[in-house]
PDB file of all heavy atoms in Angstrom:
ATOM      1  N   MET A  16       0.829  -1.196   0.000  1.00 96.00           N
ATOM      2  CA  MET A  16       0.000   0.000   0.000  1.00 96.00           C
ATOM      3  C   MET A  16       0.872   1.257   0.000  1.00 96.00           C
ATOM      4  O   MET A  16       1.804   1.361   0.794  1.00 96.00           O
ATOM      5  CB  MET A  16      -0.888   0.010   1.240  1.00 96.00           C
ATOM      6  CG  MET A  16      -1.785   1.241   1.352  1.00 96.00           C
ATOM      7  SD  MET A  16      -2.815   1.192   2.846  1.00 96.00           S
ATOM      8  CE  MET A  16      -1.559   1.438   4.104  1.00 96.00           C
ATOM      9  N   PRO A  17       0.606   2.214  -0.890  1.00 97.00           N
ATOM     10  CA  PRO A  17       1.357   3.482  -0.877  1.00 97.00           C
ATOM     11  C   PRO A  17       1.241   4.149   0.496  1.00 97.00           C
ATOM     12  O   PRO A  17       0.171   4.148   1.107  1.00 97.00           O
ATOM     13  CB  PRO A  17       0.675   4.310  -1.963  1.00 97.00           C
ATOM     14  CG  PRO A  17       0.077   3.290  -2.885  1.00 97.00           C
ATOM     15  CD  PRO A  17      -0.371   2.174  -1.992  1.00 97.00           C
ATOM     16  N   LEU A  18       2.338   4.725   0.960  1.00 97.00           N
ATOM     17  CA  LEU A  18       2.365   5.236   2.330  1.00 97.00           C
ATOM     18  C   LEU A  18       3.170   6.521   2.431  1.00 97.00           C
ATOM     19  O   LEU A  18       4.289   6.618   1.930  1.00 97.00           O
ATOM     20  CB  LEU A  18       2.974   4.177   3.254  1.00 97.00           C
ATOM     21  CG  LEU A  18       3.096   4.512   4.734  1.00 97.00           C
ATOM     22  CD1 LEU A  18       1.719   4.650   5.372  1.00 97.00           C
ATOM     23  CD2 LEU A  18       3.893   3.421   5.448  1.00 97.00           C
ATOM     24  N   VAL A  19       2.585   7.527   3.065  1.00 98.00           N
ATOM     25  CA  VAL A  19       3.287   8.757   3.404  1.00 98.00           C
ATOM     26  C   VAL A  19       3.104   8.976   4.902  1.00 98.00           C
ATOM     27  O   VAL A  19       1.989   8.878   5.412  1.00 98.00           O
ATOM     28  CB  VAL A  19       2.745   9.972   2.627  1.00 98.00           C
ATOM     29  CG1 VAL A  19       3.432  11.257   3.089  1.00 98.00           C
ATOM     30  CG2 VAL A  19       2.943   9.785   1.130  1.00 98.00           C
ATOM     31  N   VAL A  20       4.189   9.260   5.612  1.00 98.00           N
ATOM     32  CA  VAL A  20       4.151   9.459   7.057  1.00 98.00           C
ATOM     33  C   VAL A  20       4.407  10.936   7.363  1.00 98.00           C
ATOM     34  O   VAL A  20       5.367  11.517   6.866  1.00 98.00           O
ATOM     35  CB  VAL A  20       5.215   8.591   7.763  1.00 98.00           C
ATOM     36  CG1 VAL A  20       5.158   8.803   9.279  1.00 98.00           C
ATOM     37  CG2 VAL A  20       5.003   7.115   7.433  1.00 98.00           C
ATOM     38  N   LEU A  21       3.542  11.531   8.175  1.00 98.00           N
ATOM     39  CA  LEU A  21       3.680  12.934   8.546  1.00 98.00           C
ATOM     40  C   LEU A  21       4.353  13.048   9.905  1.00 98.00           C
ATOM     41  O   LEU A  21       3.953  12.388  10.863  1.00 98.00           O
ATOM     42  CB  LEU A  21       2.304  13.614   8.619  1.00 98.00           C
ATOM     43  CG  LEU A  21       1.372  13.420   7.424  1.00 98.00           C
ATOM     44  CD1 LEU A  21       0.090  14.214   7.619  1.00 98.00           C
ATOM     45  CD2 LEU A  21       2.060  13.825   6.132  1.00 98.00           C
ATOM     46  N   VAL A  22       5.381  13.884   9.989  1.00 96.00           N
ATOM     47  CA  VAL A  22       6.069  14.118  11.254  1.00 96.00           C
ATOM     48  C   VAL A  22       6.319  15.612  11.442  1.00 96.00           C
ATOM     49  O   VAL A  22       6.378  16.369  10.479  1.00 96.00           O
ATOM     50  CB  VAL A  22       7.432  13.373  11.338  1.00 96.00           C
ATOM     51  CG1 VAL A  22       7.247  11.872  11.272  1.00 96.00           C
ATOM     52  CG2 VAL A  22       8.385  13.844  10.246  1.00 96.00           C
ATOM     53  N   ASP A  23       6.455  16.019  12.696  1.00 91.00           N
ATOM     54  CA  ASP A  23       6.910  17.371  12.996  1.00 91.00           C
ATOM     55  C   ASP A  23       7.609  17.344  14.346  1.00 91.00           C
ATOM     56  O   ASP A  23       7.863  16.272  14.900  1.00 91.00           O
ATOM     57  CB  ASP A  23       5.767  18.395  12.942  1.00 91.00           C
ATOM     58  CG  ASP A  23       4.704  18.176  14.013  1.00 91.00           C
ATOM     59  OD1 ASP A  23       4.948  17.400  14.968  1.00 91.00           O
ATOM     60  OD2 ASP A  23       3.633  18.787  13.922  1.00 91.00           O
ATOM     61  N   GLU A  24       7.911  18.531  14.882  1.00 88.00           N
ATOM     62  CA  GLU A  24       8.651  18.619  16.130  1.00 88.00           C
ATOM     63  C   GLU A  24       7.905  18.023  17.322  1.00 88.00           C
ATOM     64  O   GLU A  24       8.487  17.807  18.384  1.00 88.00           O
ATOM     65  CB  GLU A  24       9.017  20.076  16.422  1.00 88.00           C
ATOM     66  CG  GLU A  24       7.844  21.032  16.498  1.00 88.00           C
ATOM     67  CD  GLU A  24       7.300  21.448  15.128  1.00 88.00           C
ATOM     68  OE1 GLU A  24       7.917  21.112  14.088  1.00 88.00           O
ATOM     69  OE2 GLU A  24       6.244  22.113  15.100  1.00 88.00           O
ATOM     70  N   GLY A  25       6.626  17.731  17.168  1.00 88.00           N
ATOM     71  CA  GLY A  25       5.859  17.106  18.247  1.00 88.00           C
ATOM     72  C   GLY A  25       5.794  15.595  18.136  1.00 88.00           C
ATOM     73  O   GLY A  25       5.266  14.924  19.023  1.00 88.00           O
ATOM     74  N   SER A  26       6.328  15.033  17.057  1.00 93.00           N
ATOM     75  CA  SER A  26       6.320  13.574  16.879  1.00 93.00           C
ATOM     76  C   SER A  26       7.437  12.967  17.726  1.00 93.00           C
ATOM     77  O   SER A  26       8.604  13.305  17.541  1.00 93.00           O
ATOM     78  CB  SER A  26       6.541  13.213  15.410  1.00 93.00           C
ATOM     79  OG  SER A  26       5.573  13.847  14.590  1.00 93.00           O
ATOM     80  N   ALA A  27       7.085  12.079  18.658  1.00 93.00           N
ATOM     81  CA  ALA A  27       8.094  11.558  19.573  1.00 93.00           C
ATOM     82  C   ALA A  27       7.871  10.086  19.876  1.00 93.00           C
ATOM     83  O   ALA A  27       6.767   9.563  19.727  1.00 93.00           O
ATOM     84  CB  ALA A  27       8.070  12.355  20.890  1.00 93.00           C
ATOM     85  N   SER A  28       8.965   9.446  20.272  1.00 94.00           N
ATOM     86  CA  SER A  28       8.939   8.084  20.796  1.00 94.00           C
ATOM     87  C   SER A  28       8.440   7.079  19.759  1.00 94.00           C
ATOM     88  O   SER A  28       9.070   6.895  18.733  1.00 94.00           O
ATOM     89  CB  SER A  28       8.084   8.049  22.079  1.00 94.00           C
ATOM     90  OG  SER A  28       8.316   6.882  22.813  1.00 94.00           O
ATOM     91  N   ALA A  29       7.301   6.423  20.018  1.00 97.00           N
ATOM     92  CA  ALA A  29       6.824   5.356  19.127  1.00 97.00           C
ATOM     93  C   ALA A  29       6.633   5.846  17.703  1.00 97.00           C
ATOM     94  O   ALA A  29       6.912   5.121  16.741  1.00 97.00           O
ATOM     95  CB  ALA A  29       5.519   4.767  19.669  1.00 97.00           C
ATOM     96  N   SER A  30       6.162   7.091  17.541  1.00 97.00           N
ATOM     97  CA  SER A  30       5.961   7.609  16.182  1.00 97.00           C
ATOM     98  C   SER A  30       7.289   7.780  15.449  1.00 97.00           C
ATOM     99  O   SER A  30       7.352   7.651  14.224  1.00 97.00           O
ATOM    100  CB  SER A  30       5.194   8.942  16.226  1.00 97.00           C
ATOM    101  OG  SER A  30       5.904   9.913  16.956  1.00 97.00           O
ATOM    102  N   GLU A  31       8.358   8.050  16.191  1.00 97.00           N
ATOM    103  CA  GLU A  31       9.677   8.176  15.571  1.00 97.00           C
ATOM    104  C   GLU A  31      10.233   6.805  15.191  1.00 97.00           C
ATOM    105  O   GLU A  31      10.901   6.658  14.166  1.00 97.00           O
ATOM    106  CB  GLU A  31      10.636   8.885  16.524  1.00 97.00           C
ATOM    107  CG  GLU A  31      10.239  10.336  16.774  1.00 97.00           C
ATOM    108  CD  GLU A  31      11.180  11.043  17.722  1.00 97.00           C
ATOM    109  OE1 GLU A  31      11.122  10.761  18.928  1.00 97.00           O
ATOM    110  OE2 GLU A  31      11.976  11.880  17.267  1.00 97.00           O
ATOM    111  N   ILE A  32       9.963   5.807  16.016  1.00 98.00           N
ATOM    112  CA  ILE A  32      10.356   4.436  15.679  1.00 98.00           C
ATOM    113  C   ILE A  32       9.678   4.019  14.380  1.00 98.00           C
ATOM    114  O   ILE A  32      10.301   3.449  13.479  1.00 98.00           O
ATOM    115  CB  ILE A  32       9.990   3.467  16.823  1.00 98.00           C
ATOM    116  CG1 ILE A  32      10.859   3.748  18.057  1.00 98.00           C
ATOM    117  CG2 ILE A  32      10.134   2.010  16.382  1.00 98.00           C
ATOM    118  CD1 ILE A  32      10.448   2.980  19.292  1.00 98.00           C
ATOM    119  N   PHE A  33       8.389   4.323  14.274  1.00 98.00           N
ATOM    120  CA  PHE A  33       7.617   3.984  13.076  1.00 98.00           C
ATOM    121  C   PHE A  33       8.175   4.698  11.848  1.00 98.00           C
ATOM    122  O   PHE A  33       8.452   4.081  10.816  1.00 98.00           O
ATOM    123  CB  PHE A  33       6.149   4.346  13.293  1.00 98.00           C
ATOM    124  CG  PHE A  33       5.270   4.026  12.125  1.00 98.00           C
ATOM    125  CD1 PHE A  33       4.764   2.755  11.946  1.00 98.00           C
ATOM    126  CD2 PHE A  33       4.942   5.001  11.193  1.00 98.00           C
ATOM    127  CE1 PHE A  33       3.951   2.452  10.862  1.00 98.00           C
ATOM    128  CE2 PHE A  33       4.135   4.716  10.108  1.00 98.00           C
ATOM    129  CZ  PHE A  33       3.637   3.435   9.944  1.00 98.00           C
ATOM    130  N   ALA A  34       8.363   6.022  11.963  1.00 98.00           N
ATOM    131  CA  ALA A  34       8.851   6.807  10.831  1.00 98.00           C
ATOM    132  C   ALA A  34      10.248   6.348  10.410  1.00 98.00           C
ATOM    133  O   ALA A  34      10.549   6.249   9.215  1.00 98.00           O
ATOM    134  CB  ALA A  34       8.866   8.294  11.190  1.00 98.00           C
ATOM    135  N   GLY A  35      11.106   6.055  11.384  1.00 98.00           N
ATOM    136  CA  GLY A  35      12.456   5.606  11.070  1.00 98.00           C
ATOM    137  C   GLY A  35      12.468   4.266  10.362  1.00 98.00           C
ATOM    138  O   GLY A  35      13.250   4.045   9.430  1.00 98.00           O
ATOM    139  N   ALA A  36      11.584   3.367  10.782  1.00 98.00           N
ATOM    140  CA  ALA A  36      11.500   2.050  10.141  1.00 98.00           C
ATOM    141  C   ALA A  36      11.018   2.172   8.706  1.00 98.00           C
ATOM    142  O   ALA A  36      11.537   1.515   7.796  1.00 98.00           O
ATOM    143  CB  ALA A  36      10.560   1.143  10.937  1.00 98.00           C
ATOM    144  N   ILE A  37      10.032   3.030   8.473  1.00 98.00           N
ATOM    145  CA  ILE A  37       9.511   3.241   7.121  1.00 98.00           C
ATOM    146  C   ILE A  37      10.576   3.858   6.229  1.00 98.00           C
ATOM    147  O   ILE A  37      10.788   3.445   5.081  1.00 98.00           O
ATOM    148  CB  ILE A  37       8.257   4.137   7.161  1.00 98.00           C
ATOM    149  CG1 ILE A  37       7.120   3.470   7.941  1.00 98.00           C
ATOM    150  CG2 ILE A  37       7.800   4.482   5.743  1.00 98.00           C
ATOM    151  CD1 ILE A  37       6.660   2.148   7.386  1.00 98.00           C
ATOM    152  N   GLN A  38      11.281   4.856   6.756  1.00 98.00           N
ATOM    153  CA  GLN A  38      12.297   5.562   5.964  1.00 98.00           C
ATOM    154  C   GLN A  38      13.490   4.667   5.644  1.00 98.00           C
ATOM    155  O   GLN A  38      13.920   4.576   4.495  1.00 98.00           O
ATOM    156  CB  GLN A  38      12.761   6.804   6.719  1.00 98.00           C
ATOM    157  CG  GLN A  38      13.664   7.725   5.905  1.00 98.00           C
ATOM    158  CD  GLN A  38      13.996   8.988   6.662  1.00 98.00           C
ATOM    159  OE1 GLN A  38      14.484   8.946   7.790  1.00 98.00           O
ATOM    160  NE2 GLN A  38      13.719  10.143   6.043  1.00 98.00           N
ATOM    161  N   ASP A  39      14.022   3.986   6.644  1.00 98.00           N
ATOM    162  CA  ASP A  39      15.226   3.183   6.431  1.00 98.00           C
ATOM    163  C   ASP A  39      14.973   1.964   5.556  1.00 98.00           C
ATOM    164  O   ASP A  39      15.888   1.470   4.887  1.00 98.00           O
ATOM    165  CB  ASP A  39      15.808   2.736   7.774  1.00 98.00           C
ATOM    166  CG  ASP A  39      16.520   3.879   8.488  1.00 98.00           C
ATOM    167  OD1 ASP A  39      16.512   5.001   7.960  1.00 98.00           O
ATOM    168  OD2 ASP A  39      17.083   3.636   9.578  1.00 98.00           O
ATOM    169  N   ASN A  40      13.740   1.466   5.559  1.00 97.00           N
ATOM    170  CA  ASN A  40      13.393   0.327   4.702  1.00 97.00           C
ATOM    171  C   ASN A  40      12.850   0.772   3.346  1.00 97.00           C
ATOM    172  O   ASN A  40      12.415  -0.053   2.543  1.00 97.00           O
ATOM    173  CB  ASN A  40      12.363  -0.567   5.400  1.00 97.00           C
ATOM    174  CG  ASN A  40      12.993  -1.462   6.452  1.00 97.00           C
ATOM    175  OD1 ASN A  40      13.739  -2.384   6.128  1.00 97.00           O
ATOM    176  ND2 ASN A  40      12.705  -1.191   7.726  1.00 97.00           N
ATOM    177  N   ASP A  41      12.852   2.103   3.099  1.00 97.00           N
ATOM    178  CA  ASP A  41      12.348   2.654   1.830  1.00 97.00           C
ATOM    179  C   ASP A  41      10.925   2.185   1.545  1.00 97.00           C
ATOM    180  O   ASP A  41      10.554   1.928   0.404  1.00 97.00           O
ATOM    181  CB  ASP A  41      13.273   2.264   0.667  1.00 97.00           C
ATOM    182  CG  ASP A  41      14.671   2.844   0.840  1.00 97.00           C
ATOM    183  OD1 ASP A  41      14.790   4.084   0.891  1.00 97.00           O
ATOM    184  OD2 ASP A  41      15.634   2.052   0.940  1.00 97.00           O
ATOM    185  N   ARG A  42      10.147   2.105   2.609  1.00 96.00           N
ATOM    186  CA  ARG A  42       8.763   1.621   2.491  1.00 96.00           C
ATOM    187  C   ARG A  42       7.785   2.728   2.135  1.00 96.00           C
ATOM    188  O   ARG A  42       6.703   2.492   1.609  1.00 96.00           O
ATOM    189  CB  ARG A  42       8.358   0.939   3.811  1.00 96.00           C
ATOM    190  CG  ARG A  42       6.898   0.523   3.927  1.00 96.00           C
ATOM    191  CD  ARG A  42       6.526  -0.494   2.872  1.00 96.00           C
ATOM    192  NE  ARG A  42       5.103  -0.817   2.956  1.00 96.00           N
ATOM    193  CZ  ARG A  42       4.135  -0.097   2.414  1.00 96.00           C
ATOM    194  NH1 ARG A  42       4.420   1.024   1.755  1.00 96.00           N
ATOM    195  NH2 ARG A  42       2.874  -0.482   2.525  1.00 96.00           N
ATOM    196  N   GLY A  43       8.156   3.984   2.439  1.00 97.00           N
ATOM    197  CA  GLY A  43       7.279   5.113   2.167  1.00 97.00           C
ATOM    198  C   GLY A  43       8.064   6.407   2.249  1.00 97.00           C
ATOM    199  O   GLY A  43       9.287   6.401   2.420  1.00 97.00           O
ATOM    200  N   THR A  44       7.371   7.526   2.151  1.00 98.00           N
ATOM    201  CA  THR A  44       8.000   8.848   2.170  1.00 98.00           C
ATOM    202  C   THR A  44       7.618   9.576   3.451  1.00 98.00           C
ATOM    203  O   THR A  44       6.456   9.565   3.856  1.00 98.00           O
ATOM    204  CB  THR A  44       7.556   9.674   0.955  1.00 98.00           C
ATOM    205  OG1 THR A  44       7.985   9.001  -0.241  1.00 98.00           O
ATOM    206  CG2 THR A  44       8.165  11.075   0.986  1.00 98.00           C
ATOM    207  N   ILE A  45       8.606  10.207   4.087  1.00 98.00           N
ATOM    208  CA  ILE A  45       8.381  10.961   5.317  1.00 98.00           C
ATOM    209  C   ILE A  45       8.283  12.446   4.950  1.00 98.00           C
ATOM    210  O   ILE A  45       9.161  12.985   4.277  1.00 98.00           O
ATOM    211  CB  ILE A  45       9.519  10.748   6.329  1.00 98.00           C
ATOM    212  CG1 ILE A  45       9.889   9.264   6.436  1.00 98.00           C
ATOM    213  CG2 ILE A  45       9.144  11.321   7.684  1.00 98.00           C
ATOM    214  CD1 ILE A  45       8.774   8.357   6.891  1.00 98.00           C
ATOM    215  N   VAL A  46       7.214  13.102   5.409  1.00 97.00           N
ATOM    216  CA  VAL A  46       6.944  14.493   5.047  1.00 97.00           C
ATOM    217  C   VAL A  46       6.726  15.327   6.305  1.00 97.00           C
ATOM    218  O   VAL A  46       6.062  14.886   7.241  1.00 97.00           O
ATOM    219  CB  VAL A  46       5.696  14.590   4.143  1.00 97.00           C
ATOM    220  CG1 VAL A  46       5.338  16.045   3.857  1.00 97.00           C
ATOM    221  CG2 VAL A  46       5.933  13.844   2.837  1.00 97.00           C
ATOM    222  N   GLY A  47       7.283  16.535   6.325  1.00 94.00           N
ATOM    223  CA  GLY A  47       7.030  17.450   7.433  1.00 94.00           C
ATOM    224  C   GLY A  47       8.285  18.122   7.929  1.00 94.00           C
ATOM    225  O   GLY A  47       9.070  18.667   7.158  1.00 94.00           O
ATOM    226  N   ARG A  48       8.509  18.064   9.263  1.00 91.00           N
ATOM    227  CA  ARG A  48       9.681  18.676   9.888  1.00 91.00           C
ATOM    228  C   ARG A  48      10.348  17.675  10.829  1.00 91.00           C
ATOM    229  O   ARG A  48       9.738  16.685  11.213  1.00 91.00           O
ATOM    230  CB  ARG A  48       9.266  19.944  10.664  1.00 91.00           C
ATOM    231  CG  ARG A  48       8.717  21.034   9.763  1.00 91.00           C
ATOM    232  CD  ARG A  48       8.385  22.303  10.530  1.00 91.00           C
ATOM    233  NE  ARG A  48       7.298  22.142  11.479  1.00 91.00           N
ATOM    234  CZ  ARG A  48       6.014  22.182  11.142  1.00 91.00           C
ATOM    235  NH1 ARG A  48       5.652  22.342   9.868  1.00 91.00           N
ATOM    236  NH2 ARG A  48       5.089  22.044  12.057  1.00 91.00           N
TER     237      ARG A  48
END
């Protein structure tokens, strides 16, 4: 499934683990700050 993950300066802890896993595995695109 196509996937875009939104992050900003308020994204912390579990959401960062999720975003990092998606980014490092090239599973989707991370957008925001």
Side-chain angles (χ1 to χ4, degrees):
M16 179 180 70
L18 180 66
V19 176
V20 180
L21 310 183
V22 297
D23 65 14
E24 57 282 352
S26 304
S28 196
S30 60
E31 294 180 286
I32 292 172
F33 180 83
I37 297 300
Q38 189 175 54
D39 285 3
N40 282 291
D41 297 299
R42 173 62 183 83
T44 298
I45 315 300
V46 175
R48 296 183 294 279

